[in-house]
Amino acid sequence: QDPGPGSVIRPGGERGFVTVDGRRVLIRRYGRGPAVFVIHGSPQSSRAVEAVCQTLAARGLTAIAPDTPGAGASDPLPLADPDSADFAAALHRLTGTLGLSRVGLYGFHTGAATAATFAALFPQNTAALVCDGLPAWTETERARFLADYLTPFEPRWDGSHMAWLWARMEAQTVFFPWHSTAPAERMSMAVSSPEQIHANAMDLLAAGDGYRPVYRAAFTFRAEAVVDRLPSTALVACAASDVLAAHLDRPALAGRGLILPDIPNLHAAAADHLAAHPGEPAPDHLAGGFLALGDDRLAIHRLSEGPGCPLVMLHDAGGSAADLTAPTDRPVIALDLPGHGLSAEGWHGPVDWPWTVRTALNALNLSDAEVSGVGAGSVLASALSGAEPVPCRVLGVPNPPPKLSPEWDGAHLIRAFRIASWEQLFDPWYRRDPAHLIHRPSHLSAAHARAVSLLLAQQRWSDLETWAAQNAP
């Protein structure tokens, strides 16, 4: 009944979880061949390095991109202020857990600091290294960034934290540092698209205020402490447009780096370099936790173990398996439904909700399991089992449903938080009158978490809600 690692590994953009020292680590895999670990920058996740991973895969390499500890869907390190050495040690434990003793490394910005530190600490495990934008801070810069770059992220009832988040992600495409408006610190690049800004915003939302210790490691990194210990197969490079290109002229890196005209050229040079100094071939099976359904991936969560008949739990529209409370006296499996939670990626076009879940249960050998759900998930469970649904709330959305897809001004972030806030006060949330009042305490943390879930689901939330309203008795 366990999907097992073999059911989730398919060529190109695969995802799965690995347990390292009790921590859950999400990894992405691209291609087949010698292993190259690709380490993303901050405050991002592994989704941000897909372009270079695709280039490496096309060159006959296996690109393995983890969400670094505390970023994306990976659990944080049990440390208050981890530094690059701590992240490098965690990466070393990951490579060992996957059975790899000699690997290639590619790191971008914060990831470059981690990769360089790995190569300095574990030269016997490093086949080759590419640092894309290795920082070499001055003491003035370091003090400035540690003092005011890492603003605390704190949800507020008025939703202003969402406005701040969008403005902060916009600003980092215009200024470096992002919180400056000085003409001398304005970058000569176009503002990123709403989709790109949204992706970065969602990465920070995944980490919450935990983004700060992850990002802090980039500013405490000291290039001068590692560059003399890098292997001969190390390549320090930068695209000409990168704000860190100027760091290659600083004392710690002078004469060691290469500036390339643009990002595609840099990725191609990295692929050539890493292919020329290959590590061990990656094993066929790396991770578990996702089920392949065509080109899409469904996240599978095992919430509890035990004897007896398995229970499959389905979450509400706009939610995820993280919302569910499972009994502990039997095996319980939960799915992140298409377009929701960790299944949010992909799922283009209409979804046949009952067919998709039924197909997943058959693939997991759970076709005879008991299925239950919450809200819209209850209606979906009844469509599979024929039992009477117990939606637990009023089903339906306004016509037309509110848009949660990226907008240029970030209004969708605030809209999601307002919906989540009103859900705690009225049922349905858009009937804001005494007849639909909910008499229960409101919790800011719950409203924020719900807003993040809604943003992950975007329009799949209203798709599932509408289907459930149409199919409820």
Side-chain angles (χ1 to χ4, degrees), residues 148-242:
D148 57 13
Y149 192 95
L150 303 175
T151 304
F153 183 70
E154 301 173 350
R156 299 181 182 276
W157 271 119
D158 60 6
S160 57
H161 63 292
M162 291 296 202
W164 172 87
L165 174 60
W166 190 262
R168 185 248 182 273
M169 291 301 169
E170 269 185 335
Q172 77 174 24
T173 70
V174 181
F175 293 98
F176 184 76
W178 67 268
H179 56 293
S180 171
T181 57
E185 293 176 317
R186 183 165 181 167
M187 298 184 290
S188 57
M189 55 191 296
V191 177
S192 296
S193 69
E195 290 74 21
Q196 291 171 317
I197 297 172
H198 173 80
N200 285 331
M202 294 305 296
D203 281 343
L204 195 146
L205 284 171
D209 196 50
Y211 90 94
R212 293 194 295 148
V214 178
Y215 213 164
R216 181 181 181 276
F219 300 125
T220 58
F221 172 74
R222 295 180 178 274
E224 62 273 18
V226 302
V227 292
D228 289 334
R229 299 155 60 195
L230 296 181
S232 60
T233 54
L235 171 64
V236 179
C238 217
S241 59
D242 194 321

Side-chain angles (χ1 to χ4, degrees), residues 120-141:
L121 292 176
F122 309 107
Q124 72 280 9
N125 303 118
T126 305
L129 164 70
V130 175
C131 292
D132 178 355
L134 188 66
W137 309 113
T138 67
E139 290 306 314
T140 299
E141 289 171 336

Side-chain angles (χ1 to χ4, degrees), residues 9 14-15 21 45 50 70 78 106 112-113 139 181 235 240 257 277 299 301 329 349 353 396 414:
I9 296 300
E14 303 147 3
R15 287 181 294 157
D21 298 330
S45 71
E50 180 173 10
Y106 176 102
E139 290 306 314
T181 57
L235 171 64
H277 308 282
H301 305 268
D329 59 348
W353 301 96
I414 298 173

Side-chain angles (χ1 to χ4, degrees), residues 371-456:
V371 183
S372 70
V374 178
S378 171
V379 180
L380 183 51
S382 73
L384 298 169
S385 65
E388 186 73 15
V390 185
C392 81
R393 62 173 179 80
V394 177
L395 294 168
V397 293
N399 187 19
K403 281 184 57 181
L404 296 181
S405 52
E407 298 183 21
W408 75 271
D409 58 357
H412 62 293
L413 299 187
I414 298 173
R415 186 176 303 126
F417 184 77
R418 300 316 306 155
I419 292 170
S421 301
W422 289 121
E423 281 184 341
Q424 298 206 18
L425 300 173
F426 298 95
D427 185 15
W429 61 269
Y430 51 90
R431 303 286 189 189
R432 298 181 293 176
D433 56 56
H436 296 90
L437 182 66
I438 298 174
H439 296 282
R440 68 183 180 200
S442 298
H443 299 284
L444 176 57
S445 60
H448 175 71
R450 172 65 172 169
V452 175
S453 291
L454 291 172
L455 288 165
L456 280 170

